[in-house]
Amino acid sequence: MNEFEIIDQCFTRKGSANSSTVKVGIGDDGAVLSCDEDKDLVVVTDTLVSGVHFCAASRPADIGYKSLAVNLSDLAAMGADPNWALLNLAMPDAEPKWLEEFADGFFELADRFDVQLVGGDTSVGPLTVTVTAGGWIPNEEAITREGAKPGDLVFVSGTLGDAALGLELGLDDKQIIKWPNLTRIHRPEPRIKLGRELRNFASAAIDLSDGLASDLMHLTSASGGMGAVIYQERIPFSNDACSLRSLDELLSLALSGGDDYELCFTVDPSREKDIALLSDRAGVRITCIGAVSETPGFWLIDLAGKCEQYSEGGYQHQWSVDTQY
Ligand code: ADP
Ligand code: MG
């Protein structure tokens, strides 16, 4: 079974969402809970497991940083302002130096976004870091995956494929100086400012954790079983990535590689003129890569203008009878 089958078959129950207190439940980047008459609470959670999401030799400060960053990215996708976090840490041993560096990385990012660590849990076990984070959004302004309409334009922030390429290259310090973009595998930048700008602007949004193709399909499926037509030539790559790989290789990293943590969002075409201003305010490049289609599926228009369905998925956690951890 893969993670999405498990979530659908075992944990998604009728009526678990959309009650008067739960405005958005399972199935989006975060849950939206009714709080008071002015604002809603957005809650997100994500786990990093040693040997799955990072290798055991990773720098502890990077693990601390990333464990919070991936959660802030989900808050950004919902348009929320981060406020607090809980940290659950399981580890095989408690080395003071490792813990100090881990905490430095965690708080470096927490301090940048005024996130307060309000609790958690610590236990012995295989190295696993789970962060749960909360953020606020004015009532009814949370951006979900559900609002895209056929004809809406599809945008992405930043550049894609850098994290997957960084992972492939297993960057050491000397390479980091040469190709700074590729360090995003260790320290993704949560697009909080952009998420804020997208309130009342984007029709739907998602953060890119598993590759553009599968994450965009989560958005268009949630929006009523639609699809998207994407122009290969418009997908933004960094100069660092372009200096190392062919466009075909970069395309597959962007579509099926994970860990970019950029935002992908849809916008009514009448609002396209405001994108440049929004990009200035958020301090990040924004690129229109295509449009939402009524036909389901991820349709890619190649450099010769030929349109074909891209059906390779993104990263998925899989279980089989002989999987041992
Ligand atoms: P994301 O990558 O945005 O964090 P995921 O792909 O991990 O989202 O999860 C998809 C949806 O399923 C999210 O709404 C998430 O909260 C929910 N989900 C994942 N695992 C579980 C679980 N074990 N129980 C309940 N809901 C889950
Ligand atoms: Mg997400």
Side-chain angles (χ1 to χ4, degrees):
M1 284 176 109
N2 70 41
E3 58 182 287
F4 301 111
E5 290 163 342
I6 293 175
I7 297 164
D8 274 356
Q9 291 167 27
C10 309
F11 298 121
T12 308
R13 296 271 162 99
K14 271 214 176 104
S16 61
N18 306 322
S19 65
S20 60
T21 49
V22 181
K23 295 185 173 178
V24 177
I26 292 179
D28 219 299
D29 291 294
V32 181
L33 310 178
S34 172
C35 185
D36 66 25
E37 55 198 28
D38 297 326
K39 58 184 185 301
D40 291 327
L41 174 64
V42 180
V43 185
V44 301
T45 191
D46 251 318
T47 295
L48 302 186
V49 180
S50 177
V52 178
H53 299 93
F54 59 88
C55 65
S58 297
R59 279 181 234 205
D62 287 342
I63 303 170
Y65 188 103
K66 188 167 178 178
S67 66
L68 181 60
V70 297
N71 279 278
L72 298 192
S73 174
D74 276 327
L75 287 178
M78 304 295 290
D81 285 325
N83 183 207
W84 53 262
L86 297 163
L87 170 63
N88 292 7
L89 191 55
M91 50 198 170
D93 39 39
E95 257 184 59
K97 188 163 178 305
W98 189 96
L99 282 162
E100 196 183 307
E101 287 176 24
F102 173 91
D104 282 349
F106 184 95
F107 284 113
E108 182 184 332
L109 187 63
D111 292 347
R112 261 183 63 205
F113 289 104
D114 267 336
V115 172
Q116 206 182 335
L117 183 62
V118 294
D121 193 28
T122 307
S123 65
V124 71
L127 183 57
T128 305
V129 189
T130 299
V131 171
T132 301
W136 302 102
I137 185 138
N139 262 335
E140 311 305 331
E141 290 189 16
I143 312 158
T144 68
R145 298 175 181 179
E146 285 182 9
K149 295 179 300 301
D152 280 359
L153 300 175
V154 177
F155 293 86
V156 290
S157 62
T159 53
L160 304 187
D162 296 304
L165 181 52
L167 181 66
E168 214 173 271
L169 294 172
L171 289 179
D172 60 34
D173 281 344
K174 279 191 200 126
Q175 289 178 314
I176 285 169
I177 295 164
K178 233 158 93 194
W179 297 303
N181 263 307
L182 307 185
T183 61
R184 287 172 38 189
I185 183 66
H186 303 305
R187 293 193 172 221
E189 177 63 23
R191 300 296 184 192
I192 295 292
K193 259 192 184 172
L194 175 59
R196 240 173 166 266
E197 296 292 332
L198 294 179
R199 296 174 189 169
N200 298 314
F201 186 87
S203 51
I206 188 168
D207 70 326
L208 298 178
S209 52
D210 299 331
L212 175 68
S214 71
D215 285 330
L216 179 54
M217 287 305 96
H218 289 316
L219 183 155
T220 54
S221 305
S223 290
M226 293 180 297
V229 179
I230 301 301
Y231 293 86
Q232 179 180 339
E233 67 193 12
R234 296 195 193 168
I235 297 178
F237 300 120
S238 69
N239 292 337
D240 288 352
C242 289
S243 68
L244 289 163
R245 290 288 189 272
S246 71
L247 282 180
D248 274 350
E249 288 166 320
L250 292 180
L251 181 68
S252 120
L253 292 172
L255 296 184
S256 298
D259 272 346
D260 279 322
Y261 294 101
E262 293 295 348
L263 296 188
C264 175
F265 57 94
T266 55
V267 172
D268 186 283
S270 65
R271 309 198 74 177
E272 188 183 11
K273 57 186 187 322
D274 300 323
I275 284 286
L277 181 64
L278 197 132
S279 161
D280 280 352
R281 285 211 209 113
V284 65
R285 167 178 177 177
I286 295 174
T287 311
C288 179
I289 57 169
V292 176
S293 64
E294 259 176 78
T295 316
F298 187 99
W299 299 90
L300 192 64
I301 300 190
D302 72 12
L303 301 180
K306 201 165 79 186
C307 182
E308 273 187 10
Q309 187 165 15
Y310 182 88
S311 41
E312 270 168 58
Y315 183 81
Q316 275 185 21
H317 293 274
Q318 304 273 355
W319 286 262
S320 62
V321 277
D322 53 359
T323 302
Q324 297 272 331
Y325 287 105

